[in-house]
Amino acid sequence: MNMAVKIKTKYGLIDISNGVIATVVGGAATSNYGVVGMASKNALRDGVDSILSRANYKRGVVVKSEDNQVTVDVYIIVGYGLKISEVSRNVQDSVKYNLRSQLGIDTKAVNVIVQGVKVLDD
């Protein structure tokens, strides 16, 4: 697994670390209605119901890069009673948009993995 995404521009080479990508992805994912928070990709080790803080978003995002494009796996917890497919589609759209607009990265795929469901507090 690469530690950074390399983007070739007419001015030279840009390296963007996976930590930066994970922060952008986590921010984009958690800004969607219905997403309670980010979950760890290792749910058994870190706790199934554990919600990651902003500083730990990289534990809930897997980035794979090839040919100036990335594939991103996003692990989330969804609010109870919401349509999971709709929440997941919104996460995919916002992650793709934010990676493109903020970092100039084209995504090959955004895979959303729902690690849990939590009751939303009113």
Side-chain angles (χ1 to χ4, degrees):
M1 181 177 359
N2 294 343
M3 293 308 294
V5 173
K6 297 180 186 318
I7 300 174
K8 293 178 186 169
T9 68
K10 63 181 180 178
Y11 302 111
L13 193 64
I14 300 171
D15 286 350
I16 302 173
S17 77
N18 284 354
V20 171
I21 294 169
T23 301
V24 171
V25 168
T30 56
S31 68
N32 285 283
Y33 177 76
V35 177
V36 176
M38 297 288 293
S40 173
K41 61 186 173 270
N42 298 317
L44 294 176
R45 184 188 72 198
D46 296 330
V48 176
D49 284 349
S50 169
I51 296 176
L52 299 177
S53 67
R54 184 175 293 271
N56 292 324
Y57 280 169
K58 64 181 174 259
R59 287 181 22 212
V61 177
V62 177
V63 180
K64 298 172 215 134
S65 64
E66 60 182 58
D67 303 329
N68 278 356
Q69 286 193 324
V70 297
T71 300
V72 181
D73 296 342
V74 187
Y75 293 79
I76 62 171
I77 297 174
V78 176
Y80 177 78
L82 300 171
K83 192 170 183 182
I84 293 174
S85 62
E86 194 64 34
V87 172
S88 298
R89 193 172 309 109
N90 290 339
V91 168
Q92 287 174 323
D93 291 342
S94 62
V95 166
K96 283 183 181 184
Y97 175 79
N98 282 10
L99 285 177
R100 181 76 197 125
S101 65
Q102 293 179 20
L103 301 178
I105 295 175
D106 291 319
T107 53
K108 185 175 182 182
V110 176
N111 303 313
V112 178
I113 298 94
V114 178
Q115 289 283 68
V117 176
K118 277 206 168 182
V119 176
L120 295 174
D121 297 329
D122 288 334

